[in-house]
Amino acid sequence: MFAVAIDGPAGAGKSSVAKAAAQELGFVYVDTGAIYRTIALYVLRQGVDPHQASAVEALLPQVQVSLEYTQQGQKMLLNGEDVTALIRTPEVSMATSACSAIPAVRAYLLQLQRDLAAENNVLMDGRDIGTVVLPHAQLKVFLTASPEERARRRVAQLEKAGQQADYASILRDIQQRDYQDSHRETAPLRPAEDAVLLDNSSYTFEESVRRLVALVRERL
Ligand code: DC
């Protein structure tokens, strides 16, 4: 199997770039953020504070997370319920950042992620894929863009969807999540030593995809 680990901060376009590259390469695209989001949704539904590590840990035996791959892409199932459309709210994003800092949550999800890579050629995106989940991935990419550029893209995305967007608060959210994700004790966001750094601040989407596909093809 061939594994590509793609890590980087929120909003750098990892998922859309990795998804398009996976399609071009015939690989399975695995969005690990969605897996963490599914756990966070369950925690919120149970009325548990996502910062309370022991309370969150106590819920884990009740949660069954599974993935399904369809024409529309990766679907997330929470105890059999399709929650794909419910895990993208700002509330779930913040709760996920807190839940994903809990070592027991990360340990709980480690094998699931490794199993996916053992069964398929994958482009797996997350925060610790190259450093922890798939340390032997044939290619590791740290895909990033400046916080300001990520905020601008998010504003454009929301406006396109007809939603209100406030640049300042979006930038603040991005900076807060970057800080939380890179300063936590367990599996903080950082490039693996052997990762290729891809800063796409000045690239178009197509250019980012082209560069990622080229990096994979060089190693196939
Ligand atoms: O990529 P995303 O925005 O869907 O990720 C949501 C949160 O989950 C983010 O705060 C970081 C965390 N996460 C993580 O800790 N490890 C991963 N492999 C993927 C996501």
Side-chain angles (χ1 to χ4, degrees), residues 32-33 36-37 96-97 100 106 126-128 177 181 184:
T32 64
Y36 284 92
R37 286 170 180 274
T96 308
S97 187
S100 62
R106 306 203 71 84
R127 301 294 189 285
D128 63 335
R177 277 218 284 159
D181 294 345
R184 65 183 178 213

Side-chain angles (χ1 to χ4, degrees), residues 20-40:
Q23 199 164 23
E24 207 169 315
L25 292 159
F27 281 28
V28 172
Y29 163 62
V30 182
D31 172 2
T32 64
I35 304 177
Y36 284 92
R37 286 170 180 274
T38 301
I39 298 272

